Amino acid sequence: MQIRPAILDDTRAISALFRNRITTWQRLCEDGRVEDVDYEALSVYERWLHGGAWMTVETGAVFLNNLLLGAGVPMVAEHGGQVFGYVEAFPNQEADPFGAHLHVGYLVAPDAETEDALLDAMVMAARARKLFKLSASTALGEE
């Protein structure tokens, strides 16, 4: 496994990681009903409604380009040229005790080992930016 900075050529693979988490694609009909549809039947906007920029390659490329221009820190996990994990973080400034830090916005990993490797890479990225704290929001799930 290699952890490296994401590049624009990774957009399709990163988008697929996010889209694979969606089990049902739906749209709201004019009469207020919700219908299940194929991904291809949705407009770019309707796809975006399922989870943001990563729901399409088109909007994902725009978003990743903004990250690469300095808005954030995108990294991928790959093996044999195949991207299978992703993390993005954003420089942030808050009142103490957080102060200046890097905040993980999204993390997509197939297992704990990949998750740990991606977070370790983010810790190193934070240190390189002279940010000595890393934050992330988590939701408590069923155990």
Side-chain angles (χ1 to χ4, degrees):
M1 169 176 30
Q2 176 190 7
I3 307 297
R4 62 167 175 78
I7 59 174
L8 276 177
D9 286 342
D10 295 323
T11 303
R12 187 171 306 282
I14 297 167
S15 179
L17 291 174
F18 280 86
R19 289 191 328 264
N20 288 339
R21 300 184 330 174
I22 306 298
T23 57
T24 305
W25 296 94
Q26 299 178 320
R27 77 159 45 115
L28 185 61
C29 300
E30 288 183 18
D31 63 2
R33 290 180 304 107
V34 174
E35 67 177 344
D36 294 352
V37 295
D38 291 332
Y39 174 82
E40 292 78 20
L42 296 170
S43 69
V44 169
Y45 175 68
E46 290 170 324
R47 294 172 185 174
W48 176 85
L49 287 172
H50 283 79
W54 287 117
M55 294 296 109
T56 73
V57 172
E58 298 85 355
T59 55
V62 172
F63 183 66
L64 181 56
N65 188 60
N66 285 327
L67 295 176
L68 294 171
L69 289 173
V73 182
M75 294 189 166
V76 296
E78 76 169 359
H79 180 71
Q82 299 296 316
V83 171
F84 64 92
Y86 175 76
V87 64
E88 65 189 40
F90 305 90
N92 201 358
Q93 176 70 44
E94 295 185 32
D96 286 335
F98 296 107
H101 64 283
L102 204 57
H103 179 76
V104 175
Y106 285 107
L107 173 64
V108 181
D111 53 47
E113 178 184 2
T114 305
E115 185 175 303
D116 288 347
L118 287 165
L119 289 174
D120 287 346
M122 264 314 149
V123 168
M124 291 174 24
R127 287 181 181 149
R129 289 165 176 74
K130 305 229 184 299
L131 301 171
F132 299 103
K133 294 179 184 170
L134 185 69
S135 68
S137 298
T138 60
L140 299 176
E142 295 181 28
E143 295 195 24

